[in-house]
Amino acid sequence: VAIMSVIAGLILLLQLPGVQTFVSSQILKSLQENIDAEITVEKIHLKPFNTLVIKNILLKDKNAPHDSLSGKHIDTLFHAEYVIAGFSFEGLFKSESIHLKNVYVENGTMNLVTESHTNEYGTNLNRMFNMPKNPNKKKEKKTADSSAVFWGLHNFIQIRK
């Protein structure tokens, strides 16, 4: 009973806007220390047990490549007015991770830039998240089923260079 009370108290505490702001800023700070991008968010709201709402998210490349046509830096990897993600904790009970159920992006833009001639990553996305390409690696059988995730896009622009 005592453990359940503590868990319930933590869940209720996480619903307070000030607590959500503090927790999300600490998570973003930790994430930015491990990636080659700046992340800014206007607001993050965690709805109890199943939904994360992010308002005005921006991922900017710290080492933005140049567009060969315009000569400008392509520094925005991703921007969206809203990202709403539904999730479940069922994977945690199976020693896995949180499962995404659906993702909705509104008024979003993504700039995926091919960089294969300049580094071992292949794209700006792989470089920013330190995911080098390895063509010699054998493909492993995937255990996750991505067909269970619904992606909703509204006024979304994807640019691939």
Side-chain angles (χ1 to χ4, degrees):
V1 175
I3 294 173
M4 293 302 287
S5 297
V6 169
I7 292 171
L10 289 174
I11 291 170
L12 289 173
L13 192 62
L14 274 174
Q15 296 311 303
L16 297 173
V19 173
Q20 287 189 4
T21 300
F22 175 77
V23 170
S24 62
S25 68
Q26 294 304 307
I27 291 170
L28 289 175
K29 181 180 173 183
S30 174
L31 182 60
Q32 285 189 95
E33 291 173 358
N34 296 301
I35 63 172
D36 191 25
E38 294 176 32
I39 304 171
T40 58
V41 172
E42 182 178 324
K43 183 178 180 181
I44 296 178
H45 177 66
L46 181 64
K47 295 182 179 180
F49 310 115
N50 66 0
T51 307
L52 178 67
V53 179
I54 304 173
K55 182 177 180 185
N56 287 326
I57 182 169
L58 173 65
L59 275 78
K60 284 182 83 171
D61 192 341
K62 290 180 183 175
N63 295 297
H66 282 75
D67 183 344
S68 59
L69 298 175
S70 70
K72 295 180 181 178
H73 284 288
I74 305 170
D75 64 354
T76 300
L77 171 68
F78 179 76
H79 173 265
E81 188 175 325
Y82 283 98
V83 175
I84 303 169
F87 60 88
S88 75
F89 292 110
E90 72 181 55
L92 295 177
F93 301 112
K94 300 175 186 175
S95 298
E96 296 172 359
S97 61
I98 295 173
H99 291 174
L100 279 178
K101 294 191 298 187
N102 54 59
V103 176
Y104 174 80
V105 177
E106 185 172 335
N107 295 328
T109 302
M110 181 173 182
N111 293 305
L112 185 62
V113 180
T114 303
E115 301 178 341
S116 58
H117 62 286
T118 59
N119 62 45
E120 76 265 22
Y121 296 103
T123 67
N124 58 339
L125 175 68
N126 289 355
R127 177 180 42 78
M128 284 190 273
F129 289 92
N130 196 24
M131 302 180 303
K133 63 180 181 175
N134 187 352
N136 298 327
K137 185 177 179 181
K138 292 181 181 179
K139 292 187 176 183
E140 298 176 12
K141 185 178 177 182
K142 294 183 178 181
T143 57
D145 181 11
S146 62
S147 64
V149 177
F150 170 77
W151 293 84
L153 304 175
H154 181 259
N155 292 335
F156 185 82
I157 301 167
Q158 188 261 342
I159 302 167
R160 185 177 171 107
K161 302 247 180 187

